[in-house]
Amino acid sequence: CCCCCRCACLQSDAHWDQEVCIKVGAALLALLVENSHLSDGIFTAKTWRSRGAAANKEPPQLPAFEYVYVKQGIKQQSFVRASQALIGVLLADRTLAAQLLTKVPPMLVPPVPWMRYNYGGYLTSRHYMMRTRYSRALVERLKAADQSGAYQKVLDALNVLGNTSWRINRSVYDVMTSLWEAKSTAGGLPAQIPLRPPPPPPMNYRLIFENGGLSVRSGSWSRRERRQYILACDDVRRLNRNMASLKSDFLLKIKVKRVNDQ
């Protein structure tokens, strides 16, 4: 939204201060959230009729984005994130997910020679010669060392690595693709089937450890059981996110090979 405001300012030769940009960006973001919906491919006609809806009604439109409110102490912040329906549609097409989740794809042409600490490598993307983790102090130290010529050997080494040609090992590629089609996890391949969340704790009579000893409980969960269940669910979600990232990375490598063949 801020980028749209800056583009509008450049095209109209107008000067918008930060407050105006924030207001215009918030209005554009609200329009995006309110008018972005998913209607095709979410509900089938059979599923829609099985829910008791009339035959002449259209399937429901699911929001593509949603507001999320996070409370931090006494303050409450709001965020905009993709809905679960949109995430499901994107992850259903693994090739599309690989393109969307990849920040910088591999290059198929010779890279730009590294001339400075912040210029070189990719053709259109600007990157530093090393990861800075958005640290201004580290960027300033890189800039000072680059001006003194301390990193010239490092830049030369990066240029040598960038100009080194590469090729795909056909035998390894055939083995990995066959394992992927068989949905195998051999060779370090990520699992294609997401993990299921653990079952909730039982509600019948059971022995639990609380307050420094064993006790018998029935009915509702104890605080310890609830916490352990929440942590286990968080671990499953974290592992599934990692697997989705690894799957996208693997599919991107497969796509690079196919593009190279063409």
Side-chain angles (χ1 to χ4, degrees):
C1 294
C2 293
C3 295
C4 298
C5 295
R6 294 191 184 99
C7 292
C9 293
L10 293 176
Q11 294 175 0
S12 62
D13 295 331
H15 175 71
W16 292 358
D17 56 12
Q18 185 177 7
E19 182 179 358
V20 175
C21 290
I22 292 175
K23 291 182 179 180
V24 174
L28 294 175
L29 186 61
L31 290 175
L32 174 66
V33 175
E34 294 174 0
N35 296 278
S36 300
H37 297 86
L38 300 174
S39 57
D40 297 332
I42 304 299
F43 288 97
T44 61
K46 181 179 179 181
T47 304
W48 179 234
R49 287 194 298 268
S50 65
R51 295 192 176 187
N56 57 353
K57 290 185 178 180
E58 295 293 332
Q61 290 188 346
L62 301 178
F65 302 95
E66 59 185 4
Y67 288 106
V68 179
Y69 298 94
V70 179
K71 188 174 183 181
Q72 298 179 351
I74 60 175
K75 296 183 179 180
Q76 185 173 349
Q77 298 179 349
S78 60
F79 299 89
V80 176
R81 71 178 183 185
S83 63
Q84 293 297 326
L86 178 59
I87 295 176
V89 171
L90 296 177
L91 294 181
D93 187 352
R94 296 301 181 185
T95 304
L96 177 61
Q99 297 177 3
L100 294 177
L101 298 178
T102 302
K103 183 179 180 181
V104 180
M107 296 182 63
L108 299 177
V109 296
V112 177
W114 282 95
M115 306 297 295
R116 297 187 58 192
Y117 74 101
N118 60 347
Y119 180 78
Y122 292 97
L123 301 178
T124 57
S125 301
R126 299 296 298 271
H127 293 272
Y128 296 112
M129 58 180 293
M130 61 175 292
R131 293 183 179 180
T132 60
R133 301 295 184 183
Y134 305 101
S135 173
R136 185 180 297 273
L138 183 56
V139 173
E140 293 296 332
R141 294 187 64 179
L142 279 176
K143 182 179 179 180
D146 180 68
Q147 292 176 352
S148 64
Y151 288 149
Q152 187 58 43
K153 292 184 178 180
V154 178
L155 297 177
D156 294 339
L158 291 175
N159 292 328
V160 171
L161 292 175
N163 293 323
T164 302
S165 59
W166 56 273
R167 64 183 180 88
I168 297 176
N169 192 325
R170 174 69 65 172
S171 59
V172 175
Y173 171 79
D174 294 337
V175 172
M176 299 303 286
T177 52
S178 61
L179 292 175
W180 179 262
E181 294 174 355
K183 296 183 178 181
S184 174
T185 58
L189 289 178
Q192 302 185 41
I193 302 176
L195 300 176
R196 294 183 177 181
M203 303 292 288
N204 52 3
Y205 285 97
R206 59 201 182 278
L207 289 175
I208 62 173
F209 183 82
E210 61 179 359
N211 298 327
L214 292 176
S215 61
V216 179
R217 175 181 286 272
S218 65
S220 61
W221 302 338
S222 64
R223 181 177 300 179
R224 181 185 180 90
E225 289 175 322
R226 185 182 299 275
R227 177 175 176 80
Q228 290 179 347
Y229 177 67
I230 293 175
L231 292 178
C233 292
D234 291 341
D235 290 339
V236 171
R237 285 191 290 266
R238 176 179 55 81
L239 291 175
N240 286 335
R241 288 194 297 266
N242 294 340
M243 289 297 108
S245 177
L246 294 175
K247 285 184 285 188
S248 301
D249 178 72
F250 177 79
L251 291 174
L252 180 62
K253 295 176 181 177
I254 297 296
K255 184 178 179 180
V256 170
K257 190 268 176 186
R258 294 173 180 173
V259 173
N260 187 49
D261 290 342
Q262 296 176 359

